[in-house]
């Protein structure tokens, strides 16, 4: 009980640092993207990872998640909390983060229902539709998110948009079976316009191969065209050879954006 009160007191102090502009930076100054990511990640961890209540958490992938894992590890090894917390990874990177910080590694076979999943995003629009998969982990990220009671997104201010495509210009990642990448590409372009390109590797010849052994297409949809993203997501997933899309529609419960002025802006799913 005393430890919980101490942590909550620390959270209040931490929250005042996170949400108050004047306590951290001058109004005319801005913080770095890394600092913004860290503030968003820490805010989400403090709200959703609760001593004695949160038992299983999904750990996402990407640069912002590093700060979330660091904060969880700090609470485990420094604050003496969350010793029984089980962390379920969404990728090889997430698994490595969990092991590197000596946290309890879980999986969906033994832990099919998660209390919360925390993950990043490449872009989030005003309706909280997310594009994910810039790091190539979209399939496992979506599976883990779908198993969580709450899916929480953490990101910096460059990922927040009114509509998809304003900030993220690399398109919607789509994981495909290698044999099907050409037919899938042509069908997507015929159905919805734009251009779908296979994602090539930089340190090897040929395409990037996902953790699941598949290829990635990046579909650059038509800019400023109105899309029903739920309909688009469903239609693309019905194409034979498509394993998963990077469109996360109606999944995010709450989004935390670390802003340039030092604040954390919160966006909540409308009922």
């Amino acid at each position: 009980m005393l430890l919980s009160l101490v942590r909550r007191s620390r959270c209040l102090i931490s929250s005042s640092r996170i949400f108050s502009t004047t306590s951290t930076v001058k109004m005319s100054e801005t913080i770095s993207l890394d600092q913004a990511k860290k503030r968003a990640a820490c805010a989400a961890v403090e709200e959703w990872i609760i001593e004695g209540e949160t038992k299983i958490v999904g750990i996402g992938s990407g640069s912002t998640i590093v700060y979330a894992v660091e904060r969880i590890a700090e609470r485990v090894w420094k604050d003496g909390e969350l010793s029984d917390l089980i962390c379920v990874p969404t990728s090889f990177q997430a698994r490595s983060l969990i092991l590197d910080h000596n946290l309890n590694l879980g999986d969906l076979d033994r832990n099919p229902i998660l209390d919360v999943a925390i993950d990043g995003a490449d872009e989030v629009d005003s309706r909280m539709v997310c594009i994910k998969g810039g790091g190539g982990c979209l399939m496992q990220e979506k599976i883990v998110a779908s198993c969580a009671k709450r899916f929480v997104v953490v990101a910096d201010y460059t990922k927040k948009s009114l509509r998809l495509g304003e900030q993220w210009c690399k398109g919607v990642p789509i994981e495909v079976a290698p044999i099907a990448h050409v037919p899938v590409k042509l069908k997507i372009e015929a159905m919805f316009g734009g251009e779908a390109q296979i994602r090539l590797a930089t340190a090897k010849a040929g395409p990037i191969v996902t953790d699941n052994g598949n290829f990635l297409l990046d579909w650059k949809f038509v800019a400023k065209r109105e899309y029903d993203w739920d309909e688009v997501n469903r239609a693309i997933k019905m194409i034979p050879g498509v394993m998963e899309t990077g469109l996360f529609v109606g999944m995010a419960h709450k989004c935390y954006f670390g802003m340039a002025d030092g604040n954390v802006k919160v966006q909540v799913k409308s009922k």
Side-chain angles (χ1 to χ4, degrees):
M1 176 66 73
L2 178 60
L3 186 60
S4 178
L5 289 173
V6 170
R7 188 193 73 78
R8 290 185 183 278
S9 175
R10 188 182 294 115
C11 288
L12 290 174
I13 297 171
S14 176
S15 295
S16 69
R17 287 201 304 266
I18 290 171
F19 291 98
S20 172
T21 302
T22 56
S23 66
T24 53
V25 293
K26 295 178 180 179
M27 294 298 290
S28 60
E29 294 178 349
T30 59
I31 62 174
S32 69
L33 281 181
D34 282 340
Q35 288 176 309
K37 291 176 182 180
K38 184 173 183 178
R39 293 182 183 220
C42 289
V45 168
E46 298 304 339
E47 181 169 353
W48 292 97
I49 310 299
I50 303 170
E51 171 71 8
E53 296 182 22
T54 308
K55 304 297 184 183
I56 308 171
V57 58
I59 301 296
S61 308
S63 57
T64 308
I65 290 303
V66 173
Y67 297 111
V69 174
E70 287 178 351
R71 179 57 187 138
I72 292 172
E74 183 180 37
R75 288 177 57 183
V76 171
W77 299 112
K78 209 171 177 184
D79 300 347
E81 297 181 347
L82 309 173
S83 59
D84 296 327
L85 182 69
I86 296 173
C87 300
V88 177
T90 59
S91 64
F92 180 88
Q93 179 221 12
R95 184 178 186 276
S96 297
L97 281 172
I98 293 166
L99 293 176
D100 288 347
H101 288 82
N102 294 314
L103 301 174
N104 299 321
L105 178 67
D107 56 50
L108 293 179
D109 291 340
R110 289 171 291 184
N111 313 109
I113 301 175
L114 286 62
D115 294 306
V116 64
I118 301 176
D119 207 344
D122 299 308
E123 189 171 35
V124 183
D125 74 5
S126 60
R127 298 182 179 180
M128 290 177 66
V129 176
C130 306
I131 293 179
K132 291 179 49 56
C137 309
L138 59 141
M139 184 171 173
Q140 292 186 45
E141 288 174 339
K142 190 176 281 189
I143 291 170
V144 170
S146 72
C147 294
K149 297 174 185 176
R150 291 289 186 270
F151 174 48
V152 177
V153 173
V154 292
D156 64 76
Y157 57 90
T158 66
K159 309 300 173 62
K160 181 175 174 59
S161 298
L162 287 176
R163 53 190 295 165
L164 297 184
E166 284 183 353
Q167 302 276 10
W168 180 254
C169 301
K170 297 181 180 180
V172 176
I174 299 165
E175 187 161 346
V176 299
I179 192 175
H181 74 91
V182 172
V184 170
K185 163 188 165 64
L186 296 176
K187 287 177 182 177
I188 290 173
E189 292 173 347
M191 292 168 67
F192 299 110
E195 182 180 11
Q197 299 176 328
I198 192 166
R199 191 183 300 183
L200 298 177
T202 56
K204 67 175 279 290
I208 282 177
V209 179
T210 70
D211 288 355
N212 311 299
N214 298 313
F215 289 173
L216 288 172
L217 291 175
D218 289 309
W219 170 48
K220 296 182 180 179
F221 49 89
V222 180
K224 297 184 179 180
R225 176 174 167 181
E226 288 293 334
Y227 287 97
D228 181 331
W229 291 115
D230 184 51
E231 179 183 323
V232 170
N233 181 54
R234 292 173 186 273
I236 292 178
K237 288 184 68 173
M238 289 299 294
I239 300 173
V242 171
M243 311 306 292
E244 192 51 85
T245 82
L247 287 167
F248 284 52
V249 184
M251 297 186 71
H253 175 77
K254 204 167 189 178
C255 296
Y256 297 79
F257 299 98
M259 306 304 290
D261 62 6
N263 291 324
V264 171
K265 184 170 287 188
V266 177
Q267 189 173 347
V268 182
K269 182 178 180 180
S270 57
K271 295 181 180 180

